[in-house]
Amino acid sequence: MVVDIVQELKRANPNLVYVCDPVLGDHGSMYVPQNLYPVYKNKVVPVADIITPNQFEAELLTGKNISSQKDAVEVMDLLHAMGPDTVVITSSDLPPRLGDRFLVSLGSQRHVRPDGSRTTQRVRIEVPKVDAVFVGTGDLFAAMLLAWTHHYPNDLKTACEKTFSVMHHVIQRTISYAHELAGPGRRPSPPQLELRMIQSKADIEDPAIVTEATVIS
């Protein structure tokens, strides 16, 4: 159904951008029915312009394991070959250079030059880990990546820095508020950890950059 709708909308507006978060699983196990996997791989991903898999989902979709940055680049190239021009692996098990309190994310964006040749920009970004479980971060990430790649269509580095910085500000504000509600020494409950979206309006619109991306080859 989603594929049919995307194709119909793109016939009406060829410039439409479709972001797909291929929600299949994490940490080595699937949390959707097995029969959804070929639908994502063969039908949904090919019509997407941007995809935001985690490492497990990227490996599952390409059939290739990621154990190095080189592997991650090859996996992103394989995902490009399936259709999407922009790929962001939102989290990975690669060793962070900033220490084990960080997560490594990687992105890749291919462009067609006026002469028809292709060029690809790839970035690596290390983001601080957060010891809490939130609902809706994947949706917020996909929405922010769509917005910032629209503002910076040929600059994945800046689009990622803006996107990840928004995530940082929203999550930090949410944690502060949740701890305030829970009281000293008490772990916040899921309702208290609901993302503080309205309160983060200014950060969503114009985030201070707190996470820098590195261009990689």
Side-chain angles (χ1 to χ4, degrees), residues 18 28 32 34-35 40-41 46 48 69 83 94 98 103 128 131 149 156 174 181 213:
Y18 168 47
V32 298
Q34 193 82 32
N35 61 354
Y40 267 117
K41 182 174 182 177
Q69 186 170 289
L94 294 179
L98 296 175
L103 269 178
D131 182 25
T149 51
L156 183 64
T174 300
L181 280 183

Side-chain angles (χ1 to χ4, degrees), residues 57-127:
E57 290 157 347
E59 290 174 335
L60 201 59
L61 289 167
T62 59
K64 180 176 172 59
N65 287 338
I66 296 173
S67 55
S68 67
Q69 186 170 289
K70 181 174 174 288
D71 292 339
V73 167
E74 288 171 11
V75 163
M76 290 191 291
D77 284 346
L78 289 169
L79 290 167
H80 283 318
M82 292 166 73
D85 284 331
T86 302
V87 176
V88 176
I89 298 176
T90 54
S91 61
S92 75
D93 299 326
L94 294 179
R97 293 175 185 136
L98 296 175
D100 59 8
R101 291 169 60 197
F102 286 78
L103 269 178
V104 177
S105 301
L106 299 117
S108 180
Q109 189 173 55
R110 63 179 183 182
H111 304 281
V112 179
R113 294 193 183 101
D115 65 2
S117 64
R118 287 177 183 255
T119 175
T120 305
Q121 185 189 37
R122 301 185 185 94
V123 297
R124 173 191 172 109
I125 198 157
E126 300 203 1
V127 291

Side-chain angles (χ1 to χ4, degrees), residues 148-165:
W148 291 112
T149 51
H150 176 73
H151 283 297
Y152 297 93
N154 300 310
D155 184 359
L156 183 64
K157 180 181 186 291
T158 300
C160 281
E161 289 173 342
K162 296 272 193 183
T163 299
F164 280 100
S165 293

Side-chain angles (χ1 to χ4, degrees), residues 4-80:
D4 288 347
I5 291 165
V6 169
Q7 288 175 330
E8 186 181 332
L9 290 171
K10 284 194 171 194
R11 279 194 292 273
N13 175 10
N15 295 321
L16 189 84
V17 176
Y18 168 47
V19 182
C20 168
D21 183 358
V23 179
L24 291 165
D26 204 357
H27 304 301
S29 61
M30 289 181 72
Y31 40 56
V32 298
Q34 193 82 32
N35 61 354
L36 270 183
Y37 162 66
V39 178
Y40 267 117
K41 182 174 182 177
N42 302 323
K43 300 197 168 169
V44 182
V45 171
V47 299
D49 300 281
I50 301 172
I51 58 168
T52 58
N54 57 37
Q55 176 173 330
F56 173 73
E57 290 157 347
E59 290 174 335
L60 201 59
L61 289 167
T62 59
K64 180 176 172 59
N65 287 338
I66 296 173
S67 55
S68 67
Q69 186 170 289
K70 181 174 174 288
D71 292 339
V73 167
E74 288 171 11
V75 163
M76 290 191 291
D77 284 346
L78 289 169
L79 290 167
H80 283 318

